[in-house]
Amino acid sequence: MKSSSFSIHRFLLKLIGYLIIAWGIGFALFWIRLPYAAKTDTTASKSDAVIVLTGGPNRLETGITLLENKVAGRMLISGVHEDVRPSELAVRTGANPDLFACCIDLGYAADSTIGNAQESAEWVHKNSFQTILLVTSDYHIQRSLILFRKHLPDTSITAVSVPTKLPVLKLAKEYNKYLITLVREGLSL
C-alpha cells in the first residue's frame, strides 16, 4: 500500500516538474519571438482598413500614421472608453481632427480582447472589408491574432505590432493568457 501511494506521489511530482519545464520553454520561445513581432511597419502593404486595439502606448499613433500614409482608407479604434470623444484623441495624438471626422470610427463596446475581436468583426462585415491591418503591442499580437482569425475567418489580417518593454512578470501574465486562449479556442474548433 505504501509503495503504490509513493509511486503515485512520485508520478505527480514528475508530472508537475515536466509541466513547469514545458511552460518555461514555451515562455522563452514567446519572449524570443517578441523582437520579430515588434517590427512596426507604418508603410505596410495597402489594406482596406486599420484596426487599433486600445490599452498600450503608441498604438493609436501607429494606426494614425498608417492612415496618414494612405496604407488604408478607414480605421477603427476598438475598446474606447465611453467618455472619450474624437476631438480628445486628436489632441492627444496630434492628429488632424479632420482625419477623425472622415476616416476614424470609435468602438465603445469592447472591454477585452475577445470583445475587440467581436466589435471589429461587426465593423469589418458592415463595411465589407476584405483586408485589415491589426495594430496592438508586440506582447499582445499573438493572442489577438488567434481571436481575430476566429471571428474573421475570411478576412486577410496583417499584424502591425508596436514595440514595448514589459516587465517579466507582466509578460508571463500575458503568456498565460495566450496559453488559455490557445486551449479555449483549440477546444472550440
Side-chain angles (χ1 to χ4, degrees), residues 117-130 150-155:
Q118 293 166 339
E119 177 177 65
S120 298
E122 288 177 27
W123 182 78
V124 166
H125 293 303
K126 179 180 141 193
N127 289 288
S128 302
F129 294 138
Q130 299 298 311
K150 177 189 176 191
H151 286 87
L152 292 164
D154 299 323
T155 304

Side-chain angles (χ1 to χ4, degrees), residues 132-165:
I132 62 167
L133 300 173
L134 178 61
V135 178
T136 191
S137 300
D138 53 1
Y139 65 86
H140 190 237
I141 199 71
Q142 294 177 61
R143 183 164 58 98
S144 299
L145 283 170
I146 292 168
L147 295 168
F148 271 73
R149 286 181 177 141
K150 177 189 176 191
H151 286 87
L152 292 164
D154 299 323
T155 304
S156 173
I157 304 169
T158 302
V160 178
S161 56
V162 179
T164 58
K165 296 219 188 270

Side-chain angles (χ1 to χ4, degrees), residues 54 77-89 106-111 119:
T54 58
I77 304 171
S78 177
V80 178
H81 188 275
E82 62 189 23
D83 295 334
V84 175
R85 297 293 159 243
S87 58
E88 296 172 62
L89 291 175
L106 303 184
Y108 295 100
D111 63 358
E119 177 177 65

Side-chain angles (χ1 to χ4, degrees), residues 182-189:
L182 276 176
V183 170
R184 185 181 54 231
E185 297 309 320
L187 293 176
S188 70
L189 292 176

Side-chain angles (χ1 to χ4, degrees), residues 8 12 18 26-29 32 43 63 66 73 89 103-105 108 112 137 142-143 145 148 151-153 164 179:
I8 291 171
L12 290 174
Y18 290 137
F27 178 65
L29 292 171
I32 288 168
T43 60
L66 288 164
L89 291 175
C103 310
I104 299 176
D105 298 313
Y108 295 100
S112 66
S137 300
Q142 294 177 61
R143 183 164 58 98
L145 283 170
F148 271 73
H151 286 87
L152 292 164
T164 58
L179 289 177

Side-chain angles (χ1 to χ4, degrees), residues 30-47:
F30 181 80
W31 192 348
I32 288 168
R33 285 188 54 180
L34 289 182
Y36 300 104
K39 293 187 173 153
T40 302
D41 183 5
T42 53
T43 60
S45 58
K46 198 104 168 102
S47 185

Side-chain angles (χ1 to χ4, degrees), residues 52 54 56 58-65 75 77 89 92-93:
V52 176
T54 58
N58 300 318
R59 294 179 187 184
L60 290 177
E61 292 80 0
T62 300
I64 288 170
T65 300
M75 183 168 90
I77 304 171
L89 291 175
R92 181 177 171 252
T93 59

